Amino acid sequence: MSIRLGDIAPNFTANTTQGEIDFHEWLGDFWGLLFSHPADFTPVCTTELGKTALLSGEFQKRNTKVIAVSVDDLASHNKWVPDIEEVNDVKVNFPIIADENRVVAQLYDMIHPNASEKTTVRSVFIIGPDKKVKLTLTYPASTGRNFNELLRVLDSLQLTANYGLATPADWISGDKVIVIPSIPTDQISAKFGVEPEVVKPYLRYVPGNVVHK
Ligand code: BEZ
């Protein structure tokens, strides 16, 4: 069954390269990023997992725990991790789920049989501290994901969750941001300490530096 935004992220227990976990307990009060890759010892996945490890400080800054999954077993993951580390000159410091029985893949609808019956597509789920799904994304096996884009989405989601701010098209950190419609225009200056730029009654900007994260 497909997972929609706002759903509670399905819980599971699984074996990982860092031991057995209960997913919700492992997340705790953190944000989470769960992403699938088609198979171990494949070229695109080797770059993706390396990039994720290289960005681990950025995920930490955003209170976000990262976890990967594929339908290969633990022995395979453990053999592959040294390759990822060598190729990307980095330590893989996040867990990789061994989902050889496809429990997680099925719970999260990560196998799209018309693309491949045997392996997962490249799915991403961002999960909030409330365990609700905040983003879903699906990429084909042959296209590596843009992990800086995932950090950008995390920044946007956290601006909304913490400050009632939204982000416009192509926003990057530091750009001006949009005040969400539920905040009346006459309350903006008191809340953010600046006069908004009112483009339309429903489109009100404030500078990106009104909040310091
Ligand atoms: C991979 O690296 O996972 C991959 C590359 C090309 C096609 C399919 C998968």
Side-chain angles (χ1 to χ4, degrees):
M1 199 186 71
S2 68
I3 293 176
R4 299 187 214 184
L5 303 192
D7 291 354
I8 295 289
N11 196 24
F12 56 82
T13 54
N15 276 324
T16 81
T17 49
Q18 294 184 357
E20 189 170 321
I21 61 157
D22 171 291
F23 185 51
H24 282 191
E25 268 178 30
W26 176 83
L27 282 169
D29 295 329
F30 287 81
W31 290 71
L33 186 136
L34 169 67
F35 67 108
S36 58
H37 57 273
D40 295 357
F41 299 101
T42 51
V44 175
C45 307
T46 301
T47 64
E48 283 194 325
L49 272 71
K51 183 69 187 199
T52 307
L54 286 163
L55 290 172
S56 69
E58 295 299 321
F59 287 110
Q60 262 170 35
K61 272 190 221 161
R62 292 161 177 83
N63 291 324
T64 301
K65 288 189 169 183
V66 172
I67 189 162
V69 57
S70 79
V71 294
D72 291 306
D73 64 20
L74 198 56
S76 168
H77 288 347
N78 284 334
K79 271 193 218 137
W80 181 41
V81 165
D83 278 8
I84 301 168
E85 295 185 334
E86 180 197 325
V87 168
N88 298 281
D89 193 18
V90 70
K91 199 96 198 124
V92 174
N93 53 2
F94 55 86
I96 307 173
I97 297 168
D99 193 35
E100 68 270 33
N101 296 324
R102 302 178 173 202
V103 172
V104 179
Q106 275 166 10
L107 265 180
Y108 282 82
D109 197 26
M110 290 165 166
I111 293 179
H112 296 195
N114 292 326
S116 165
E117 289 210 347
K118 293 199 176 127
T119 60
T120 51
V121 290
R122 295 188 195 282
S123 300
V124 181
F125 297 87
I126 291 182
I127 298 156
D130 57 3
K131 309 288 182 293
K132 289 187 180 167
V133 175
K134 309 294 182 187
L135 167 134
T136 66
L137 180 148
T138 308
Y139 265 42
S142 52
T143 306
R145 286 157 286 198
N146 183 332
F147 286 81
N148 282 305
E149 167 62 6
L150 298 177
L151 293 172
R152 192 188 76 94
V153 178
L154 274 167
D155 283 342
S156 176
L157 285 166
Q158 293 180 359
L159 278 172
T160 308
N162 298 334
Y163 303 104
L165 294 169
T167 54
D170 295 335
W171 173 85
I172 53 170
S173 182
D175 287 354
K176 63 186 180 182
V177 291
I178 292 171
V179 181
I180 59 171
S182 58
I183 300 176
T185 299
D186 62 8
Q187 290 178 18
I188 292 176
S189 63
K191 186 167 168 64
F192 295 106
V194 291
E195 285 302 322
E197 174 193 346
V198 181
V199 177
K200 292 282 180 193
Y202 53 84
L203 176 55
R204 295 92 35 92
Y205 288 104
V206 290
N209 64 3
V210 292
V211 293
H212 301 286
K213 296 201 301 161

